[in-house]
Amino acid sequence: MGSECQIRSTGMRVVRRTFLVSTLSAVAAPAVLRLARADAPQFVLKLQHSFSSVSSTHDKFLVPWARQVEAQSNGRIRIDLFPSMQLGGAPSQLYDQARDGIADIVWEMPSATPGRFPKIEAWELPFVPSVRALVSSKAIDDYGRANLMDEFREVHPLCFSCSDRGVLHANRPVRIIEDMKDLRLHVQTRFTGDALRTMGAVGIPMPNAQLPLAITQHVVDGCIDPWDMMPALKLNDLLKTHTEFADSSLSSTTFALVMNKASYDRLPRDLKDVVDANSGQAAAGAAGTMWDLQAKIIADSIAQRGDPITTLLPESVAHWRKATEPVVNAWLKAMKEQKADGGKLLASAHALLVKYENEPEPRPAQTSQPEEVSEPAQSAQQSQQSQVQSPAQAKADTSEAPKVDAPGAAAPAQPVASAPAAKPVATASATPAAPAPDKPQTSWWRWLFGSKPAAATVQPSPVAAHAPPASPSPAPTPAATASAANPVAAVPPATPIANPPVVTPAPAPAASAPAVNPTAIPAPVTPIAKPVAKALDIPL
């Protein structure tokens, strides 16, 4: 009987323990789930487009746009990008993929399906869009809110945009309409092909990737394409003359950033506000700015190389506009057949272009900024290396200084004593000898490249970090630096000495120089190479 009671008591304790454990687990489970949910996004959206992952559209517009939405949602939204149609399908199917939910967001080109979106095609008519993508993009987004909601009713439009202007690239100068006769040119849209036909030329549509081979095999004589395609396909090596049109563009391509309706509707109100804040003019302006910046960089580089760029003035463009009027009239007739007022739509487009024509020019990327970040790090690295050079290496470096930075200076027999050789060194001495540690990354680098340049990550050695900044006055010669009694206070240069010993071993008084604190010795002057043109980050 006693053993039976003991067994029952033990069983009761086990039951109570199990009950307490299960109760505590039930109480703690919601807290654990809340912590897990706090780390994971509540909504994951898929964004697909047809551009490559190294293109400007992907790297300088869509990626920054997606990351901004994520940041403003405090991580509750995550947008996964799928460039180059990684989710499958063709570029002409992007709109349907957004409508059907295959992708939550797409960046699509309405002209890939000719005739399906006739109202937005008004912005692809010859000489309708502006030569500035920023102006056209802001104008077409307003136009879309007023006139395109019925054409895009199956999706939730986020923004509309126009690409960079179409430029006529060929291997022979084109200045008047008669120069167009019998030219075979690659075109992006059907209206551009129709316009070429009215001028005696032939428009040939084809995938962009096939264009270089078509040019080398003389299938086409050139193309009417935006500037960003030139380096991407190495067309600037194949086509040497370029013709632009003032005020308005012969061609442009429209784009739309649209979202699946169900994906948008399931977002809570506060997250819808985040998406809305990054839609409309905000997104259209970012896209237009991206197009214009890339066009300026590439056009400037081609002009600096010496290739002629002809810009036709408005009075000359008037003749081209008159020749392409049949294309506009055919579109107006098609719109009338669809019970739409094409004339009113065109008037609205022109009025909106006038509204935004005074938009400030986007500031191009400052090419000097990367050098400002990387050059001090390289100078510090060169200073560290030069302090451990052998006398023979020091002789070689010193003798080559006037050859690099001072062409036409003194004779090679007296390279250091010549005054002209010191001029480029004095100019460069305004730059500090060592960079400030961990200089914060500027918003320009973050927006344009997404990360700090690799050269900026070079950490200066302790010797370079403690070296005093170079004086704005002419830098002392290596011989004067070695003979200075107080290196820290020796900021003014020593009086130049004719034919100073450069590589001859120092005499006995100079033998005590190693006893001086090496960290206080100013960095020796090293030749500064001429700046090299920065490689362009161009889409493929």
Side-chain angles (χ1 to χ4, degrees), residues 341-406:
D341 190 346
K344 183 179 179 180
L345 293 173
L346 273 182
S348 173
H350 289 304
L352 289 169
L353 287 170
V354 172
K355 174 183 176 182
Y356 291 105
E357 67 181 358
N358 293 324
E359 283 291 313
E361 291 277 354
R363 293 186 177 183
Q366 298 179 0
T367 56
S368 61
Q369 186 159 351
E371 285 76 13
E372 290 177 0
V373 176
S374 60
E375 184 177 340
Q378 294 176 355
S379 300
Q381 190 175 20
Q382 293 173 357
S383 300
Q384 180 183 2
Q385 294 175 355
S386 61
Q387 292 186 10
V388 296
Q389 284 178 341
S390 64
Q393 292 172 333
K395 177 179 178 180
D397 293 343
T398 308
S399 61
E400 291 180 0
K403 296 180 182 179
V404 176
D405 290 327

Side-chain angles (χ1 to χ4, degrees), residues 19-368:
F19 174 77
L20 291 174
V21 171
S22 60
T23 302
L24 292 174
S25 300
V27 172
V32 174
L33 290 176
R34 282 195 298 270
L35 289 174
R37 289 172 182 170
D39 295 335
Q42 299 177 9
F43 300 92
V44 179
L45 305 176
K46 295 175 291 185
L47 192 161
Q48 171 155 257
H49 62 87
S50 59
F51 290 82
S52 72
S53 60
V54 295
S55 65
S56 298
T57 300
H58 175 87
D59 190 49
K60 297 177 177 59
F61 169 55
L62 293 175
V63 169
W65 179 86
R67 299 302 169 253
Q68 182 160 316
V69 171
E70 293 174 348
Q72 294 183 5
S73 70
N74 295 322
R76 296 166 61 194
I77 295 177
R78 189 183 78 204
I79 300 179
D80 295 332
L81 283 84
F82 297 89
S84 303
M85 303 299 297
Q86 291 177 354
L87 294 178
S92 59
Q93 300 172 336
L94 280 170
Y95 177 87
D96 295 332
Q97 290 183 350
R99 180 197 61 193
D100 300 337
I102 298 175
D104 299 293
I105 306 172
V106 300
W107 174 250
E108 65 112 8
M109 186 170 61
S111 59
T113 53
R116 185 174 183 178
F117 306 99
K119 292 182 180 178
I120 198 175
E121 285 183 330
W123 292 84
E124 297 178 350
L125 291 171
F127 301 110
V128 169
S130 169
V131 292
R132 295 177 56 199
L134 176 61
V135 174
S136 296
S137 294
K138 283 181 169 288
I140 194 177
D141 192 75
D142 283 357
Y143 174 94
R145 305 297 163 183
N147 303 299
L148 300 180
M149 292 300 102
D150 56 338
E151 286 190 347
F152 291 85
R153 60 184 176 275
E154 298 173 311
V155 295
H156 178 78
L158 299 179
C159 82
F160 301 96
S161 175
C162 281
S163 72
D164 177 29
R165 60 195 179 275
V167 182
L168 200 162
H169 311 280
N171 273 323
R172 72 186 193 195
V174 177
R175 298 183 179 89
I176 58 177
I177 295 180
E178 287 71 19
D179 294 335
M180 296 286 292
K181 187 173 178 58
D182 298 330
L183 274 180
R184 297 164 297 175
L185 301 173
H186 171 258
V187 295
Q188 293 277 354
T189 66
R190 63 185 181 115
F191 288 138
T192 308
D194 295 342
L196 292 182
R197 195 157 38 248
T198 64
M199 294 182 286
V202 179
I204 302 177
M206 67 176 65
N208 294 340
Q210 299 178 9
L211 184 54
L213 181 61
I215 294 173
T216 56
Q217 294 184 351
H218 304 288
V219 176
V220 296
D221 304 308
C223 61
I224 298 181
D225 286 310
W227 281 113
D228 67 283
M229 281 184 54
M230 298 300 291
L233 300 176
K234 300 187 181 303
L235 300 181
N236 49 333
D237 296 330
L238 302 174
L239 304 173
K240 297 298 184 179
T241 65
H242 316 275
T243 302
E244 295 205 79
F245 304 88
D247 298 337
S248 56
S249 174
L250 175 61
S251 72
S252 183
T253 306
T254 57
F255 288 89
L257 186 67
V258 300
M259 186 174 182
N260 176 264
K261 272 185 171 293
S263 299
Y264 178 81
D265 291 339
R266 73 169 179 261
L267 296 176
R269 181 67 264 170
D270 60 332
L271 293 185
K272 286 182 180 178
D273 292 341
V274 171
V275 174
D276 294 343
N278 292 278
S279 302
Q281 287 292 309
T289 298
M290 177 268 301
W291 296 119
D292 282 344
L293 287 176
Q294 291 301 304
K296 180 172 178 57
I297 292 173
I298 298 166
D300 288 349
S301 68
I302 290 178
Q304 291 175 3
R305 197 178 66 171
D307 292 353
I309 299 177
T310 303
T311 299
L312 302 183
L313 298 179
E315 53 268 23
S316 300
V317 177
H319 300 288
W320 296 67
R321 191 190 302 271
K322 182 69 175 177
T324 57
E325 280 184 356
V327 180
V328 179
N329 294 334
W331 178 81
L332 291 172
K333 181 180 178 181
M335 295 304 299
K336 185 177 181 180
E337 294 174 354
Q338 298 183 21
K339 309 301 181 183
D341 190 346
K344 183 179 179 180
L345 293 173
L346 273 182
S348 173
H350 289 304
L352 289 169
L353 287 170
V354 172
K355 174 183 176 182
Y356 291 105
E357 67 181 358
N358 293 324
E359 283 291 313
E361 291 277 354
R363 293 186 177 183
Q366 298 179 0
T367 56
S368 61

Side-chain angles (χ1 to χ4, degrees), residues 489-538:
V491 177
T495 303
I497 301 174
N499 301 328
V502 178
V503 296
T504 305
S512 59
V516 182
N517 184 8
T519 61
I521 299 176
V525 178
T526 55
I528 299 177
K530 295 182 179 179
V532 182
K534 184 168 73 71
L536 298 178
D537 183 13
I538 305 303

